Amino acid sequence: MLDFKSTLKMAINSLRVNMLRSALTSLGVIIGVSAVIIMLAVGTGASKKVTENMEAMGTNILTIRSASAKTGGVHMGMGTKPTLTSKDAEAIKKMARGILAISTMSSQTQQLTYGNQNWSTTVYGVQPSYLYIKNYEIEMGRGFIPEDLQNSAKVTLIGSTIAAELFGDVDPINKVIRVGNIPFKVVGLLKPKGQSGPFDQDDLIFIPITTAQKKVFGTDFPGTVSQIVIKGQNPDTLNETIQDITEILVARHHIGKNQENDFEIRNSAEFQERMKSTVQTFAILLASIASVSLLVGGIGIMNIMLVSVTERTKEIGIRMAIGAQVSDIRWQFLIESFLLSMIGGLIGVVVGILGSYLITVFAPTMTISISLFSIILALGFSGLVGVGFGYYPAYKASLLNPIDALRYE
């Protein structure tokens, strides 16, 4: 009776004798495993990138904005008629629970000019707390101070993209740029935050909200703001904060029981969870598609092992004649199949890791994340493929009649 060690040795020798065929048989598994690792690396990286972008934009944030106005029962579009005011924000700050910081905000696209350079971007009228809420930090100069809002000062904070486009290598602090036709003094440069999807978080400038309302943004609705942005103290109490805000605004705007609210409250946490879920689902879908090639590789293994059983019928007969048991023959072919799959799996892991990093060379903006879990998953799946598709050839080999096998030519 042959022991497991001897059976393993025979399986390895058999693969070594047919080296080229073994390599070609493993190719399907190599492609499958590398594809799974690359797809999971891309999907996980995208998920991490989304999370980082969301955190960079701020967490525990509530955004209140005007709901779509109606004319003759027809919705005219989001924010057609502004309904929020700075006094609404003051009331919310005093009366709502769980608020860490609050800021009003209005925005408008404007042309910026410095010397012979010009650039079109979004200008945000904000309060000093807006920078804290949205995780913007000052790299050079200073932020807004209360006097800037009180005096409607013509001062601005600019993002790094604006600084590069208008000033190049020149220090922008204390330089004067024109927003539209109005001169503004640059008092601060914001730290770069990078891209968030298609949105460049550094291609913007901030000015005091009072300056925006009185001197820059022409409006038919004086005192109104586009949004009220709030940072909550705790994600677990945001629902209470939303309830308080709703009650405050319903009362202030004199909205009846049967009337629709003229405002909307959006929770960034819910949006972030939806985005993460979407990206994770996409990653699983990519990995599932890639795993199909693993199954194709498994079919290739089964096909070659069946051919191998036919070619080695006489060898099987000789081994049975000198004492090999049915289980020994079965184990030998099963081990061969498993080794073919695992060797392909290990090579596929190396190819997958190299391929993942190669993607970042050709697409530097992409984030790749290779986890130990994805490697173990790919190797485990390749092992199952080897055992699953190798069992039938092994079973068929073990059922051969020794006498018939010895007579086989």
Side-chain angles (χ1 to χ4, degrees):
M1 180 176 179
L2 298 175
D3 59 17
F4 182 79
K5 185 176 180 180
S6 299
T7 305
L8 177 61
K9 186 176 180 180
M10 288 181 184
I12 294 172
N13 286 335
S14 177
L15 295 178
R16 189 180 298 164
V17 168
N18 299 286
M19 186 74 74
L20 180 59
R21 186 167 71 179
S22 298
L24 292 174
T25 304
S26 297
L27 188 59
V29 178
I30 293 172
I31 294 172
V33 169
S34 60
V36 169
I37 288 178
I38 290 172
M39 292 301 100
L40 284 175
V42 170
T44 306
S47 181
K48 284 188 175 181
K49 187 68 174 178
V50 168
T51 302
E52 290 172 2
N53 287 341
M54 292 299 178
E55 289 176 351
M57 294 174 69
T59 54
N60 301 336
I61 293 176
L62 299 176
T63 302
I64 312 169
R65 60 183 191 176
S66 303
S68 56
K70 279 186 176 182
T71 300
V74 178
H75 285 276
M76 301 301 292
M78 187 64 63
T80 306
K81 179 180 178 181
T83 58
L84 299 173
T85 66
S86 298
K87 291 184 178 180
D88 288 334
E90 292 172 7
I92 291 169
K93 184 178 181 180
K94 290 179 182 178
M95 301 169 63
R97 294 170 291 175
I99 292 179
L100 192 59
I102 186 169
S103 173
T104 51
M105 188 276 284
S106 292
S107 62
Q108 193 176 92
T109 300
Q110 291 279 346
Q111 193 76 15
L112 310 182
T113 308
Y114 176 74
N116 60 355
Q117 302 296 320
N118 64 84
W119 187 256
S120 179
T121 191
T122 304
V123 178
Y124 291 86
V126 299
Q127 294 175 267
S129 54
Y130 186 84
L131 276 69
Y132 166 69
I133 295 171
K134 291 290 188 175
N135 290 338
Y136 279 99
E137 298 179 25
I138 303 297
E139 184 172 36
M140 296 172 59
R142 66 170 178 86
F144 293 139
I145 56 178
E147 288 77 9
D148 293 334
L149 273 76
Q150 292 169 8
N151 301 327
S152 301
K154 290 183 285 187
V155 294
T156 182
L157 310 176
I158 64 173
S160 57
T161 299
I162 304 299
E165 294 294 338
L166 294 184
F167 298 99
D169 297 330
V170 177
D171 183 355
I173 303 302
N174 294 325
K175 300 294 190 299
V176 175
I177 65 174
R178 300 188 77 85
V179 179
N181 294 317
I182 304 171
F184 274 79
K185 182 179 179 181
V186 178
V187 296
L189 174 65
L190 302 169
K191 282 186 178 180
K193 293 184 70 174
Q195 293 282 139
S196 176
F199 177 60
D200 183 357
Q201 298 182 90
D202 304 313
D203 186 9
L204 46 71
I205 75 169
F206 294 135
I207 63 177
I209 183 66
T210 51
T211 309
Q213 290 173 328
K214 295 177 181 178
K215 301 178 180 180
V216 182
F217 302 164
T219 177
D220 295 329
F221 309 99
T224 60
V225 296
S226 301
Q227 295 180 4
I228 299 173
V229 186
I230 295 168
K231 187 176 183 68
Q233 293 176 350
N234 190 319
D236 298 329
T237 60
L238 282 180
N239 288 334
E240 294 178 359
T241 306
I242 291 172
Q243 183 180 350
D244 289 351
I245 293 170
T246 302
E247 292 175 359
I248 292 166
L249 292 181
V250 165
R252 285 185 56 81
H253 295 185
H254 308 290
I255 299 172
K257 289 184 179 180
N258 298 324
Q259 290 180 300
E260 291 186 21
N261 291 340
D262 60 0
F263 59 89
E264 281 191 352
I265 304 174
R266 294 194 173 184
N267 186 345
S268 66
E270 294 177 357
F271 176 71
Q272 290 172 10
E273 287 303 316
R274 285 198 299 269
M275 285 293 294
K276 288 179 185 177
S277 177
T278 300
V279 171
Q280 288 169 356
T281 301
F282 182 64
I284 293 171
L285 177 61
L286 289 176
S288 300
I289 294 171
S291 65
V292 172
S293 57
L294 255 179
L295 296 177
V296 173
I299 294 171
I301 289 175
M302 183 170 68
N303 182 47
I304 293 300
M305 293 305 298
L306 286 171
V307 172
S308 181
V309 169
T310 303
E311 289 178 346
R312 294 157 62 189
T313 299
K314 194 166 186 176
E315 174 195 328
I316 295 169
I318 292 172
R319 288 181 178 172
M320 285 184 168
I322 62 175
Q325 301 296 314
V326 169
S327 60
D328 295 320
I329 302 300
R330 188 176 298 172
W331 271 111
Q332 179 185 344
F333 282 88
L334 196 59
I335 289 172
E336 285 184 28
S337 174
F338 179 75
L339 287 175
L340 277 174
S341 187
M342 288 306 295
I343 290 170
L346 290 170
I347 297 174
V349 166
V350 175
V351 173
I353 292 173
L354 292 176
S356 298
Y357 285 112
L358 194 61
I359 288 175
T360 61
V361 173
F362 293 101
T365 57
M366 287 190 67
T367 300
I368 299 297
S369 178
I370 301 172
S371 65
L372 181 61
F373 171 75
S374 66
I375 294 174
I376 294 173
L377 179 66
L379 282 176
F381 195 28
S382 69
L384 287 174
V385 164
V387 173
F389 285 94
Y391 181 79
Y392 177 69
Y395 177 74
K396 184 179 178 181
S398 69
L399 293 182
L400 289 176
N401 186 296
I403 297 175
D404 292 337
L406 287 169
R407 289 175 179 172
Y408 183 83
E409 294 294 339

